[in-house]
Amino acid sequence: MVDQTVNVTLTEDTKQKPVAEQLEFGRVFTDHMFIMDYIEGKGWHNPRIVPYQPVTLDPAAIVFHYGQTVFEGLKAYVTKDGEARLFRPEKNMQRLNRSNERMCIPHLDEDVALNAIKQLVSLERDWIPTAPGTSLYIRPFIISTESYLGVAPSKTYQFLVILSPVGAYYKEGINPVKIAVEDEFVRAVKGGTGEAKTAGNYASSLKAQELVSDKGYAQVLWLDGLEKKYIEEVGSMNVFFKINGEVVTPALNGSILEGVTRNSVIRLLNHWDIPVAERKISMEEVYEAYEKGLLEEAFGAGTAAVISPIGELSWKGEQLIINDRVTGSVSKRLYDTLTGIQYGTEEDPFGWIEKVK
Amino acid sequence: MVDQTVNVTLTEDTKQKPVAEQLEFGRVFTDHMFIMDYIEGKGWHNPRIVPYQPVTLDPAAIVFHYGQTVFEGLKAYVTKDGEARLFRPEKNMQRLNRSNERMCIPHLDEDVALNAIKQLVSLERDWIPTAPGTSLYIRPFIISTESYLGVAPSKTYQFLVILSPVGAYYKEGINPVKIAVEDEFVRAVKGGTGEAKTAGNYASSLKAQELVSDKGYAQVLWLDGLEKKYIEEVGSMNVFFKINGEVVTPALNGSILEGVTRNSVIRLLNHWDIPVAERKISMEEVYEAYEKGLLEEAFGAGTAAVISPIGELSWKGEQLIINDRVTGSVSKRLYDTLTGIQYGTEEDPFGWIEKVK
Ligand SMILES: Cc1ncc(COP(=O)(O)O)c(C=O)c1O
Ligand SMILES: Cc1ncc(COP(=O)(O)O)c(C=O)c1O
């Protein structure tokens, strides 16, 4: 067993922290980062916290050519009382390993990885912004570093964790967005890499996203790659529809990401005795419900926005206006409860919060 | 128009060249590399040849997280008379731009890129190995370098070219390989990124490749992602079947790569009046032809191997033994002609050769 003590080298040159109003998403990074190396035969070793610094790789490193890489995304929040905390971080570590499995990347010890994250967040405690809705975004990722142009899994890797203070997703309160249903481009298909959190899925989404942004839509809603019929997910969120009193979300089918927020939403709905179903759902079904006046709410669910109500859905030239473009009551309740648990203004009945000392 | 003169900085420390027998694929790189930068608003600029050196990027660089990257692969050959030459390099530059288009990466001037490659190859002229079947592999690639965790196209890029002397693909003469038809994993689907030469397609292929290598197969034959019925391509080669006198290859359908070798094979077959068809072809059809004794040859076609005869195809538990595991006459003729044109022992009736001074 390789020694897993994290070696810490502090920076001599701390950066200025951004002011709350200027916080964006993912542009500013903290003073330190975590790194750990992997070499075939030796395993993961040399966990260390170092000053935030560039990554130096051979130009033939596999990550540049064949994209063998995985990542995660979670947040650290601070309560009124100044307590730093994570939301279900063990779920992210489990998903990281599921992604590793699909991408032929060696497993990480989930406790080692989570402790590294907690130690780094603890060191960067003062970087967690305190204004309402702000947080410290945590980006763990693994890159393949072997210098080799053959198409084969790398024999060496680096696991890194970087931190970015991020602004409130909703600057003026939770607000419904416009989403376009995508029926030309495909994000993922069963047997592909859709259920892994890996670079290629996001690279393939850029084009569709670019085309719809030009038309004023926030994101695309992906349909299944086979028949372009069944609903998959939205950009970097899972998606839910409330139809005639029941909340429906696409079942995990091998091509969508299993979101931590998705899972939390389902748990909360069950807890509240609101009917919820994980199943195949087609765009036709959503449209029919809409025509009959039964499409009550629609929303995305993901770490960045928590809950993102959908006010308008564009599909085959039709505009479906949902709940008069107003945030629905279930969407609102989910948003308030989840953020309440995260920021410590609500009870945490499920033990979802992990404190960082 | 930005100045496009290539600035050259020579290394002070030349490496030892590997001996011919020890040459592998893509492990050793030459003394210099080419780099050019892109910044939104300014365009591509600062083309330069520098000593081969690491790439230094912020850990938040988009390429590490969202895999926005494209690449190409071609070779420089040297004739008996010591003339260095490329094979249809303009095709690779055109394909690079098609890949750029799909991946939201700014276009490159194809002449600028090709001239850069020629200038670099010319400088590294002595690195082109001369033993039969050896060559200098050229890897142009573009990486997204902006430090930003939002899922959006990068505003900055680098275009790099690295060179690797490579050994003969067939050490003991051209030899048929064993290929496994893949019916669980999917490489690409129409609407996805399959026709672009981008990292994610290769990352997604690793798992299937790993599983079949363990069983003694060289590569997988991919089927379409929709019905797992129609043939797509093999690892990093396009695929051809000779059935009852006619050569058939899958039509370009949006999910396979348009190979330069594929195009050259079709041109040669036409030139020789051998019937050739680009169309949908199912694994059932190949199997039926096999059962009737009409499956005469099968081969992959790509830059690395040129022509790779398939001696055995494994599908749903059946082993199809093709042409008694011997290289077929059309496969052999294509291999001899293409390598003959490349190495200058045959006429070049199509003007495929581009000399490097
Ligand atoms: C493709 C995709 N789907 C869904 C999600 C939502 O997952 P989570 O709730 O774990 O953030 C994300 C974001 O992580 C994502 O990238
Ligand atoms: C997926 C794929 N298909 C086909 C090919 C063959 O293309 P080319 O003949 O241009 O080398 C390659 C190799 O470049 C490839 O990576």
Side-chain angles (χ1 to χ4, degrees), chain A residues 102 184-194 200-201 204 224-226 228, chain B residues 102-103 182 184-206 208 220-235 238 251 253-258:
Chain A
R102 178 64 183 86
E184 180 187 353
F185 294 104
V186 172
R187 176 187 170 274
V189 70
K190 186 166 169 1
T193 55
N201 297 335
S204 79
D224 77 282
L226 306 188
K228 308 253 173 78
Chain B
R102 178 64 182 87
M103 305 315 293
E182 176 60 49
E184 180 187 353
F185 293 105
V186 172
R187 176 188 171 273
V189 71
K190 186 165 169 1
T193 56
E195 61 185 343
K197 213 162 160 68
T198 184
N201 298 335
Y202 299 82
S204 78
S205 77
L206 294 173
V220 302
L221 177 69
W222 297 105
L223 299 181
D224 77 280
L226 304 189
E227 302 177 66
K228 308 256 173 78
K229 191 170 159 182
Y230 296 100
I231 290 168
E232 298 248 310
E233 58 186 322
V234 170
N238 295 108
N253 59 357
S255 62
I256 65 174
L257 193 78
E258 182 173 355

Side-chain angles (χ1 to χ4, degrees), chain A residues 24-194:
Chain A
E24 291 181 64
F25 177 83
R27 291 221 180 261
V28 167
F29 299 89
T30 68
D31 288 321
H32 300 89
M33 63 199 264
F34 174 84
I35 313 184
M36 179 159 64
D37 302 315
Y38 178 92
I39 299 179
E40 198 178 81
K42 183 167 181 183
W44 289 105
H45 64 280
N46 195 14
R48 56 203 185 273
I49 288 174
V50 294
Y52 188 88
Q53 60 191 264
V55 172
T56 296
L57 291 177
D58 193 276
I62 290 178
V63 64
F64 293 139
H65 303 270
Y66 308 130
Q68 193 195 10
T69 170
V70 294
F71 70 93
E72 268 304 326
L74 64 164
K75 287 175 168 177
Y77 310 86
V78 70
T79 65
K80 288 202 299 317
D81 311 326
E83 179 187 88
R85 39 197 3 236
L86 307 176
F87 182 76
R88 310 187 78 186
E90 71 289 351
K91 284 256 165 205
N92 296 89
M93 298 302 102
Q94 290 157 7
R95 187 169 65 188
L96 187 64
N97 267 337
R98 289 201 303 277
S99 299
N100 281 339
E101 177 74 31
R102 178 64 183 86
M103 306 315 293
C104 303
I105 295 177
H107 277 226
L108 269 178
D109 181 313
E110 291 165 20
D111 292 331
V112 169
L114 182 50
N115 282 330
I117 290 172
K118 284 159 86 175
Q119 192 172 342
L120 181 65
V121 170
S122 175
L123 176 69
E124 303 289 60
R125 171 70 187 70
D126 293 345
W127 277 93
I128 312 179
T130 52
T134 62
S135 58
L136 185 67
Y137 183 78
I138 304 169
R139 170 56 59 91
F141 63 111
I142 300 178
I143 54 177
S144 47
T145 56
E146 188 185 357
S147 158
Y148 177 46
L149 296 185
V151 181
S154 184
K155 293 190 165 60
T156 60
Y157 300 87
Q158 278 198 328
F159 171 60
L160 299 100
V161 184
I162 56 178
L163 307 177
S164 173
V166 299
Y169 196 90
Y170 301 102
K171 311 253 179 240
E172 293 127 16
I174 179 170
N175 237 328
V177 294
K178 287 167 67 178
I179 301 280
V181 180
E182 176 60 49
D183 46 22
E184 180 187 353
F185 294 104
V186 172
R187 176 187 170 274
V189 70
K190 186 166 169 1
T193 55

Side-chain angles (χ1 to χ4, degrees), chain B residues 269-287:
Chain B
L269 292 171
N270 279 326
H271 188 62
W272 295 335
D273 285 329
I274 296 177
V276 52
E278 299 178 64
R279 62 169 170 85
K280 268 193 164 184
I281 175 169
S282 68
M283 214 23 238
E284 272 90 359
E285 181 182 342
V286 169
Y287 187 73

